[in-house]
């Protein structure tokens, strides 16, 4: 009897070990979906960090975009926005993710909006997110001659504590002799009108500066 019981316990342990090994063989997704791509074939060597399958869930679809800080500040979780899908369909989506920190290089923030189930969207397709613009009265305008162009970037010099500081901006449309500044300049800041030969950190006087309207 003892020998039979020992054999039974050993067999039970072998079954548990086999089931534990089987968990490493069978791939189970935590959601319902489809196999979008197969990265490995039968006989390939699997290694830690090597992708085997790409799975696409069924259900929630999101539009992901990056926006400048000025636009990110006007968005809130749960806010409804319009998204124009690649097919031309216009669908209402709700803001579900607002990146708390922006990219250090581009200074843009990640946002994600959940699409309704009725939207005819496909993973990996293109969509355009419609974000409300800032009130026109809050946008600063500067004379064209105050702007400088360097390597595809647009900037200007502002007066900060008696010195000139180079500020990169996002220019908008032209209105007469002025250019609207979408981001990078606040109304009331002093802008140097003649930046020729000026360097960042150079001392300046307040008289040649003009406040932005």
């Amino acid at each position: 009897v003892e020998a039979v019981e020992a054999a039974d316990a050993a067999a039970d342990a072998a079954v548990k070990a086999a089931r534990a090994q089987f968990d490493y063989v069978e791939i189970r997704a935590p959601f319902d979906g489809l196999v979008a791509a197969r990265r490995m074939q039968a006989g390939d060597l699997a290694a830690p960090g090597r992708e085997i399958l790409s799975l696409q869930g069924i259900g929630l679809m999101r539009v992901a975009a990056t926006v400048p800080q000025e636009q990110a500040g006007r968005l809130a979780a749960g806010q409804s926005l319009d998204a124009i899908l690649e097919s031309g369909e216009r669908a209402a989506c709700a803001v579900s993710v607002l990146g708390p920190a922006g990219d250090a290089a581009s200074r843009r923030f990640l946002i994600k909006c959940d699409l309704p189930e009725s939207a005819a969207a496909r993973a990996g397709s293109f969509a355009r997110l419609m974000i409300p613009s800032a009130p026109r009265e809050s946008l600063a305008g500067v004379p064209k001659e105050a702007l400088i162009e360097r390597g595809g970037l647009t900037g200007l010099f502002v007066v900060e504590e008696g010195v000139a500081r180079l500020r990169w901006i996002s220019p908008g449309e032209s209105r007469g002799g002025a250019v609207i500044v979408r981001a990078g300049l606040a109304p009331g800041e002093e802008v140097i009108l003649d930046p020729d030969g000026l360097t960042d950190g150079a001392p300046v006087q307040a008289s040649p500066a003009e406040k932005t309207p």
Side-chain angles (χ1 to χ4, degrees):
V1 173
E2 290 179 353
V4 172
E5 289 178 347
D8 180 68
D12 184 61
V15 170
K16 292 180 179 179
R19 287 176 178 173
Q21 291 297 321
F22 189 72
D23 290 337
Y24 289 98
V25 177
E26 185 179 40
I27 301 175
R28 299 180 182 179
F31 51 81
D32 293 335
L34 303 171
V35 176
R38 180 180 296 177
R39 310 300 183 187
M40 299 180 63
Q41 303 298 326
D44 291 344
L45 178 62
R50 185 176 179 183
E51 185 178 358
I52 299 176
L53 297 172
S54 178
L55 304 177
Q56 177 182 328
I58 298 176
L60 178 65
M61 299 290 288
R62 282 176 169 171
V63 177
T66 58
V67 298
Q69 181 178 0
E70 185 267 337
Q71 290 182 338
R74 298 198 304 271
L75 299 176
Q79 182 177 350
S80 179
L81 300 176
D82 285 342
I84 301 178
L85 306 181
E86 195 168 11
S87 61
E89 175 188 355
R90 193 181 189 99
C93 60
V95 178
S96 58
V97 175
L98 281 173
D103 181 76
S106 63
R107 298 192 178 185
R108 296 179 69 87
F109 293 76
L110 173 68
I111 68 168
K112 294 182 180 180
C113 293
D114 296 346
L115 290 168
E117 294 183 2
S118 59
R122 298 176 65 89
S125 60
F126 174 81
R128 178 176 284 109
L129 201 59
M130 310 303 292
I131 299 176
S133 60
R136 288 186 176 272
E137 58 270 18
S138 65
L139 297 177
V142 297
K144 293 182 179 179
E145 58 269 19
L147 301 180
I148 57 175
E149 301 285 343
R150 293 181 183 175
L153 299 177
T154 302
L156 46 74
F157 283 95
V158 297
V159 179
E160 295 182 357
E161 299 180 354
V163 298
R165 292 299 182 189
L166 178 61
R167 182 86 58 80
W168 300 114
I169 64 169
S170 175
E173 68 272 15
S174 299
R175 298 179 183 175
V179 176
I180 298 300
V181 179
R182 294 292 184 186
L185 184 67
E189 287 191 290
E190 292 181 316
V191 176
I192 297 177
L193 299 180
D194 186 9
D196 291 342
L198 197 61
T199 59
D200 187 54
V204 295
Q205 296 180 355
S207 55
E210 179 179 296
K211 290 188 176 181
T212 60

